[in-house]
Amino acid sequence: MSFTDEADPIISDLPFTSHPKPAKTVTAVLPDEPLIRIRVRKQFSLVEGREIWIHRELLYYLVWRDLKARYKQTILGGSWIILQPLLMTLVFAIFLGRIARVPSDGIAYVPFLFSALLPWTFFSNAVSASSYSLINNAPLLTKVYFPRLLVPAAATLVRLSDFTVSAVVLLVLLIYYHQTLHWTILLAPVLVLQVTLLALGIGMWFSALNAKYRDISTALPVLLQLWMFTTPIVYPASLVPAKWTWLYELNPMVGIIEGFRSALLGVQMNWRSLAISTLVSFILILLSTHAFEKLDEEFADVI
């Protein structure tokens, strides 16, 4: 092969003889905030019942999935539903009822304690499960749209099923200790509804915060532990000094626990504490719903 200085006939026939100018590089500057946001709602509103109703089958699936997965590969299985409050009652009854002699307003300490531990255990477990619900369902949240409220709602309903099973044990204890049932037991379903809504509201709030700030998962068990001992569970509310009662009753679980205990054991109902609890619970549910909706659009980005 030889090279000559003759011009290539193919190149000679081209309409240009000089090299083309290099293309200019254009750098796009993106704004810090997106120009367009895709939102479910244009303004703040409470939970849309129609949207929840449309996705009701998904809620059923999430509850059923969690129920089946909870006690897989466990030896005792669903027995933990009953064992958890029973073991706590046994420990507190020995160390506080027998040794420390904590008063129980003239009621046998075991039913006095178990009637309070039952709603508290449900509330505490529901809040804890709800706070991790968005993180645990991250693959689902990032792939398809559905009302995000269904995720903490499913976690709360799963714990409500535990409460229903444990309530049978409570009835057996009431019969064993010869506790007479009064008409006030009709208030128990109303109190169960109130503590369920409160657990859902607080769980929504913590689930939204936990999705953005992972410190919540570390702080929440400590907060729940402190909350337990500021609630009349292992001791009666009558031990609280009268001058601090108004502050003590701002804890919404005080009215719920006292009301639940009064409804089952037939002691005098503290209507003022119950009314304050209802009002504070309603305010917390509104604030939690608002906070959840404000952070809703960020879930897919931060999880």
Side-chain angles (χ1 to χ4, degrees), residues 267-280:
V267 297
Q268 185 177 2
M269 184 75 69
N270 189 341
W271 295 105
R272 186 189 69 176
S273 177
L274 189 57
I276 294 174
S277 172
T278 303
L279 178 61
V280 175

Side-chain angles (χ1 to χ4, degrees), residues 95-128:
F95 288 96
L96 297 181
R98 292 287 184 180
I99 299 177
R101 297 291 180 179
V102 175
S104 56
D105 290 341
I107 304 170
Y109 193 73
V110 171
F112 173 87
L113 179 60
F114 195 84
S115 61
L117 272 177
L118 186 60
W120 172 259
T121 302
F122 160 63
F123 174 79
S124 176
N125 290 340
V127 172
S128 297

Side-chain angles (χ1 to χ4, degrees), residues 163-185:
F163 176 87
T164 305
V165 175
S166 300
V168 178
V169 181
L170 176 59
L171 291 177
V172 173
L173 285 176
L174 294 179
I175 295 173
Y176 178 80
Y177 283 92
H178 306 289
Q179 291 291 333
T180 304
L181 299 181
H182 298 78
W183 68 269
T184 52
I185 198 173

Side-chain angles (χ1 to χ4, degrees), residues 211-287:
K212 192 170 184 179
Y213 308 105
R214 300 305 167 88
D215 297 346
I216 298 299
S217 60
T218 303
L220 183 59
V222 179
L223 292 176
L224 288 174
Q225 196 72 20
L226 293 175
W227 197 340
M228 175 181 175
F229 287 104
T230 56
T231 304
I233 298 173
V234 299
Y235 59 89
S238 57
L239 291 182
V240 178
K243 64 179 181 179
W244 297 111
T245 301
W246 65 273
L247 181 61
Y248 185 70
E249 291 178 345
L250 291 178
N251 174 3
M253 288 301 295
V254 170
I256 293 175
I257 294 296
E258 280 200 299
F260 201 80
R261 184 178 279 153
S262 299
L264 294 177
L265 304 181
V267 297
Q268 185 177 2
M269 184 75 69
N270 189 341
W271 295 105
R272 186 189 69 176
S273 177
L274 189 57
I276 294 174
S277 172
T278 303
L279 178 61
V280 175
S281 298
F282 180 72
I283 294 173
L284 285 176
I285 291 169
L286 288 180
L287 293 176

